[in-house]
Amino acid sequence: MENLSAKYGKTLNLDKLTSYCPGCGHGIVTRLVAEAIESLGIMSRTISIVGIGCGGFSHHYMDIDAIEATHGRSPSFAIGYKLARPDNIVFTYAGDGDTCAIGLGDLMHAANKGMPITTIMVNNTVFGMTGGQMSPTTLEGQVTTTTTKGRAVPHQGYPLLVPEMMRAMPGVKYLARESVATPKDVRKAKKSIRKAFECQVKGLGYAFVEVIVPCPTGLKMNVKDSYARCGNEMTDYFKPQVFKDETEQSDVA
Amino acid sequence: MAQETLFLKNTEAFAESLARCGVKYHFAYPITPATDVMKRMAVILPAYGGEMMQMESELAVSSALAGAACTGKLVATSSSGPGLTLMHEAIGFMCAAELPCLLVDSMRVGPGDGDILGAQSDYYVATRGGAHGDYHTIVLAPSSGQEIADIVPTGIKLAYTYRTPVLFVIDGVSAQTTESTTLPAYHDYSAEFDTAGWAFTGTQDHPKRALITGSYSHQDGYDLNEKLRAKYATIREKEQLWEQEQTEDAEIVVVAFGIHGRMCRDLVAKMRAEGKKVGFIRPISLWPFPELAFAGLPDSVKNILVVEMNHGQMVDDVRLAVNGRIPVHFLGKTGGDMPMNTLAEMIAEANRILGE
Amino acid sequence: MLHKCMFSGSGGQGSALMAKMVCLGAIKENLKVVMTQTYGIEQRGGDSTAYVIVSDEPIGSPIVENDADIAVALSQSIYGNCFAGVVPDGMLFTNSSMVDNPKESDAFKQVFLPVSDTAVQLGTVRCANMVMLGAVLAGTGLLKLETVEEVVRETIGNKKPQLVELNIEALRSGYSAMKKES
């Protein structure tokens, strides 16, 4: 297969064939992150801190320093890193399980601290790597290997709306939810991800982008149907939108 | 900062020593009896160009510590038993990731929520480790304010030489004790070590580096463990630290660390004055445990008495070190208004064993 | 040289401050010093004891366990504990303004001084601790009077400069009262 990564610049590096399953949304998000880093010219000072789960693979396809953190703790790792080296650009990249199940506390406190850090949360409504278990963002009624009759709200609650929880935090300067369901959505996602990095480059504060993606393997669906679900049921509940954009402020010196 | 003698709580002596020896960033969460370390760090670190960052839990503390340690800069934390329990996820990670950092545990009565009174109850969790996997943390146990000031540079050198976390443990009674301590002039000991060869600082001066502790193949897991095994063997061989007095002709040797170790000096002086042949060994490195001190004990030693502020934790390592060669006795308590055995009780027990 | 001290008093009498003055003075005289908080059964509401060990060599056990050679009892409620905590040949300094019916001791020397009354005459009962500290210095040679005066100027002078002279006067008055006694 032709290796297209060079077309996207130096940051993206697909010398290793990706470990992502066919149709996985991570591939698109990883590429968008690499493009944002490339376009901002920050590759040599950017550090990727990834979580546990399929999102942890993302750094393998970027020629930047990377830290594979403990499960859910990448926002806290990022706080420590950014404090010690404020001139580096630090972003965390993880799925919904890592980010808002085991790591919700770390995430919310990192966001609330408002340090210039960027977080990309890739939400596919399921624990992918361990084989399709319920995550906090699993939709009501969604069948997973641990909710065989569908997620039941009375005991398992409603799917977690993470950016909505951050909305009131003044330290969060860029906050958006995007999806990769259609080429048009991908273009919007690209813009948001770039802004989330720009926000940090300008030193403004915390930036968070949730990206709604399909997981054909975890959902046991073919690729086409999984994208249709992404554009319908998933984004009906997780509505793509820019919640907050304060990136047009002048640079914080 | 110039060298100066101050009257400080030993928690404060830790803060001063850490900052004067090069710690730039300190992460912590309030917990008695360790809070005074973070309080003083918050006040003094800005003058050193650093900062104390209060986190929302010890879990987050240790994760932020790990993230900061990735930069190669000297970073530290301070806590007490329940906090140390939460930190083990990151401690195990940092051992696997080979990240240098310093931790201070001001030990209190456990288990569970425990008591804020001082204890030596964290010997097991410090030396055995509370996280999964085959790893060790270097554990150093100073017994006075002056020893805190003197041993922090040693801890930093060990952390950077072996690229591994170093944990200082001190009982809460000593932590809350106030004493005269001569603090060193400012010197960043971590600056003596070149971190450019491994630190994760961005690709401007090196090809991509990735910190990976997970196994992408089963061979990865084997290789990582073999590498750590070799490193731990070197540390065991080279880095045992202890104080030993009057064991040459001793019939009984008292073994204790921290505050009880310090009390042994008085014990030996008093009992020797009565003609009793007693000596002591005070382990300073709890891991690696100073087995060499026991290998060198003469045949005159018929009994060993281990004294701890717990129900018998280090005594296991003493038994392993003497391997049945010498009977090992134990005296210890934890909790209560007076949360430790007194010098009088230690002497009485040593005399009882001598009289048997 | 090794002195083990206990400074006991009830709430507000400033026994802990006495102890701190001794510690800071000891550092000025290049001595080693350790202070521990109250541990043990004598810990009660309102009463407090500060233990101080002063030595010209590194200090072993930091705990004073009923082996003080210098003890101070500023109030009635802690007198019994202080009496029990003194070694033979030690000295117990008691505030006779507050302690009635003291016990007899053959083993150690007892000094009775009405430091609260003296303090009231000097202007405020709150400097009774300094009167007593002056007496302790005179009676034991623990530290030089001038050293402690210097400590008073530095510590109290920082926060409440108007109280410096009062405290120094209190120290000196206790010092000379003790000199007369012995």
Side-chain angles (χ1 to χ4, degrees), chain B residues 200-221:
Chain B
F200 303 87
T201 52
T203 54
Q204 55 268 59
D205 56 3
H206 58 253
K208 175 189 170 108
R209 285 180 187 152
L211 190 159
I212 297 173
T213 58
S215 302
Y216 282 88
S217 73
H218 298 312
Q219 185 65 31
D220 288 347

Side-chain angles (χ1 to χ4, degrees), chain A residues 43-47 56-57 59-71 73 76-81 83-85 88 105-106 109 113 115, chain B residues 25 27 51 53-56 59-60 63-64 66-68 70-71 73 89-90 93 199-204 206-214 216:
Chain A
M43 177 182 156
S44 68
R45 62 180 171 123
T46 298
I47 309 295
F57 292 129
H59 78 83
H60 290 282
Y61 319 120
M62 290 182 232
D63 261 338
I64 56 174
D65 277 5
I67 295 158
E68 293 188 359
T70 43
H71 197 16
R73 312 284 166 245
S76 295
F77 272 64
I79 292 283
Y81 191 98
L83 185 70
R85 285 185 68 92
N88 282 89
D106 295 74
H109 283 280
K113 280 191 169 71
M115 282 170 67
Chain B
Y25 301 101
F27 302 88
E51 187 175 332
M53 172 72 90
Q54 181 170 337
M55 300 295 288
E56 71 273 16
L59 200 56
S63 302
C70 289
T71 67
K73 293 194 180 173
E89 174 183 277
F93 175 88
F200 303 87
T201 52
T203 54
Q204 55 268 59
H206 58 253
K208 175 189 170 108
R209 285 180 187 152
L211 190 159
I212 297 173
T213 58
Y216 282 88

Side-chain angles (χ1 to χ4, degrees), chain A residues 197-239:
Chain A
F197 278 89
E198 216 180 332
C199 181
Q200 181 174 178
V201 171
K202 288 181 169 179
L204 299 174
Y206 193 78
F208 180 90
V209 180
E210 174 183 5
V211 190
I212 308 300
V213 307
C215 175
T217 306
L219 298 165
K220 300 180 175 55
M221 296 172 97
N222 67 44
V223 172
K224 195 178 166 211
D225 290 348
S226 74
Y227 275 79
R229 176 179 181 271
C230 184
N232 295 304
E233 294 108 293
M234 288 175 82
T235 44
D236 280 352
Y237 185 85
F238 298 108
K239 292 192 167 51

Side-chain angles (χ1 to χ4, degrees), chain A residues 157-174:
Chain A
Y158 290 94
L160 206 57
L161 297 165
V162 176
E164 280 84 346
M165 295 169 74
M166 280 183 198
R167 206 178 204 162
M169 296 177 180
V172 179
K173 299 298 183 187
Y174 188 80

